[in-house]
Amino acid sequence: MNQDEDILERPLTVDEEDSQHARIRIRRKLPGRRLDKYLRGRFPHLSRTMIQRLIRQGLITVNAKVVKPSYEMDAGDVIDLLIPPPEPREVVPENIPLDIVYEDDFILAINKPAGIICHPARGDQSGTIANALVYYAGELSHGADPFRPGIVHRLDKNTTGIMLVAKNDEAHWRLALQFERRTVQKTYLAVVHGELELDGDTINAPIGVHPVVREKFAVMASENRIDIAKSAVTSYEVLERYRGFALVKLMPKTGRTHQLRVHMSYIGHPLVGDAMYGGRPVSEQELCGCGSAEPIIDHQALHAWKIAFRHPITEKPMELEAPFHGKFKQLVQTLRRCRRR
């Protein structure tokens, strides 16, 4: 046993509800030793992030008091831990309708709606594409994460369009390899603000985490930030022009998070509805001068339209298309009716 601490009364035990309890007394002062780092060493199966969260929730206390993760321990301190049971590691089947674009014995493709995330995340265990897939298909590939059965690639919560799903592990790793080698060709549709000067162009601008807002990404244009960015390339083509707006085809050559949204904002043409990157919602009243003042679309107007790849088993070249629908379709129809050039 380490001479710096002594386990009292309660070594790590499990109760009837699967919560874990432990109590530790510090025998001598540990200068500079933060509570979170110390516990990470004592309980290696717990991540430091989880330990910090338990401290902030009051489930880890020192001398029966809530402290900060940075608390430096002193001689005689008594640390109590109450570790909740682990979150479920299986996706629960849910009868959520799926729009199936293509299906065979090895893969299927769906047309994802807006407002639904691809797989369960912490605190969000239901109502996802993964829950729907497990209910629909039963047997799916396992991949590296049990919360992502069958899911080879993802779309943002409010991005609609085509997603590929693998039904077995061989199909999964063969598809994943195509994505890794960038041989999969993805084509998106977007409605953007403004009237683009060019009919088409390629945006080659590295992307990194936003320097201030950690949930956002940004183009890293300055020389002193280029080392923390990743290369990102997007080609675009204007399909339809409207007064003040455009329908564009976007073809990413790389797959960075939020890449299309960041790149279009970077050239001064953010996506309609994309408040995070400079866009805004629009209404029928604004576009047509009459009608409803409610936003036609309240999220980024982005749709994964087509995907071209080789079938993971037969190796036959395939191109699948997911027609746009819902609010995206309503937005395009309104622009065609009221803002045609």
Side-chain angles (χ1 to χ4, degrees):
M1 181 179 295
N2 191 315
Q3 63 179 351
D4 289 339
E5 72 272 349
D6 187 16
I7 297 181
L8 298 177
E9 301 171 14
R10 199 180 271 166
L12 194 62
T13 58
V14 180
D15 68 9
E16 65 278 3
E17 295 181 351
D18 293 327
S19 292
Q20 296 179 311
H21 301 255
R23 177 176 292 167
I24 301 172
R25 172 181 288 166
I26 304 301
R27 301 179 72 182
R28 64 173 63 180
K29 186 175 178 63
L30 303 175
R33 293 290 300 278
R34 292 170 50 115
L35 175 63
D36 56 352
K37 290 185 177 180
Y38 168 79
L39 292 176
R40 177 71 177 92
R42 290 300 304 250
F43 302 97
H45 66 289
L46 300 177
S47 70
R48 187 175 169 194
T49 300
M50 182 177 183
I51 289 170
Q52 291 174 340
R53 185 170 66 251
L54 294 176
I55 292 171
R56 294 190 180 98
Q57 291 174 345
L59 299 177
I60 296 178
T61 60
V62 178
N63 304 324
K65 296 179 180 178
V66 177
V67 297
K68 295 181 178 180
S70 59
Y71 174 84
E72 294 186 9
M73 293 160 294
D74 204 350
D77 280 349
V78 176
I79 305 170
D80 278 288
L81 300 91
L82 176 61
I83 304 168
E87 295 180 347
R89 299 300 295 169
E90 291 185 356
V91 177
V92 178
E94 293 184 66
N95 187 8
I96 301 171
L98 289 171
D99 182 359
I100 306 297
V101 174
Y102 173 86
E103 183 174 11
D104 62 27
D105 291 339
F106 307 101
I107 63 172
L108 64 88
I110 65 169
N111 191 352
K112 175 189 170 297
I116 182 169
I117 62 175
C118 288
H119 55 78
R122 193 173 299 277
D124 217 344
Q125 301 292 332
S126 62
T128 73
I129 293 294
N131 297 105
L133 288 171
V134 171
Y135 181 90
Y136 175 82
E139 186 65 27
L140 295 165
S141 67
H142 297 90
D145 188 338
F147 279 162
R148 304 182 188 184
I151 295 177
V152 183
H153 65 116
R154 295 175 293 169
L155 295 175
D156 289 345
K157 177 179 179 179
N158 286 317
T159 298
T160 60
I162 200 154
M163 277 183 59
L164 296 181
V165 177
K167 289 188 173 182
N168 60 45
D169 290 345
E170 182 180 7
H172 192 121
W173 73 259
R174 287 181 179 274
L175 280 174
L177 190 61
Q178 292 183 55
F179 278 95
E180 182 181 336
R181 292 176 174 173
R182 298 181 183 174
T183 58
V184 177
Q185 297 178 346
K186 294 177 286 185
T187 305
Y188 291 75
L189 296 176
V191 178
V192 301
H193 291 280
E195 301 185 19
L196 290 88
E197 180 180 356
L198 302 175
D199 288 333
D201 198 6
T202 295
I203 306 165
N204 188 344
I207 291 175
V209 176
H210 194 282
V212 177
V213 184
R214 307 305 292 177
E215 296 79 17
K216 291 178 62 176
F217 293 81
V219 167
M220 301 297 178
S222 61
E223 292 292 333
N224 61 342
R225 301 195 64 86
I226 204 72
D227 59 321
I228 62 173
K230 295 181 179 180
S231 64
V233 181
T234 303
S235 294
Y236 73 84
E237 178 185 333
V238 178
L239 296 182
E240 296 181 11
R241 292 180 178 274
Y242 319 106
R243 296 192 309 278
F245 302 89
L247 174 67
V248 296
K249 179 170 68 174
L250 301 174
M251 295 149 286
K253 309 303 180 185
T254 52
R256 308 305 175 202
T257 303
H258 295 182
Q259 175 177 319
L260 303 179
R261 300 163 63 188
V262 172
H263 271 174
M264 294 310 293
S265 178
Y266 174 66
I267 65 170
H269 297 282
L271 275 59
V272 169
D274 192 2
M276 179 175 282
Y277 293 106
R280 59 179 178 80
V282 295
S283 66
E284 184 182 21
Q285 187 175 92
E286 176 186 347
L287 297 179
C288 303
C290 60
S292 173
E294 292 296 315
I296 297 173
I297 189 168
D298 53 5
H299 54 78
Q300 70 266 14
L302 183 62
H303 177 74
W305 182 32
K306 296 180 180 181
I307 190 164
F309 60 101
R310 286 192 174 273
H311 191 283
I313 306 302
T314 68
E315 298 190 353
K316 174 185 174 182
M318 300 186 68
E319 182 176 274
L320 302 177
E321 178 180 327
F324 59 79
H325 51 65
K327 294 180 179 179
F328 190 102
K329 183 176 182 179
Q330 183 183 352
L331 174 62
V332 172
Q333 289 176 334
T334 304
L335 286 166
R336 286 171 175 171
R337 176 165 51 90
C338 300
R339 289 294 184 109
R340 277 284 196 188
R341 291 185 58 181

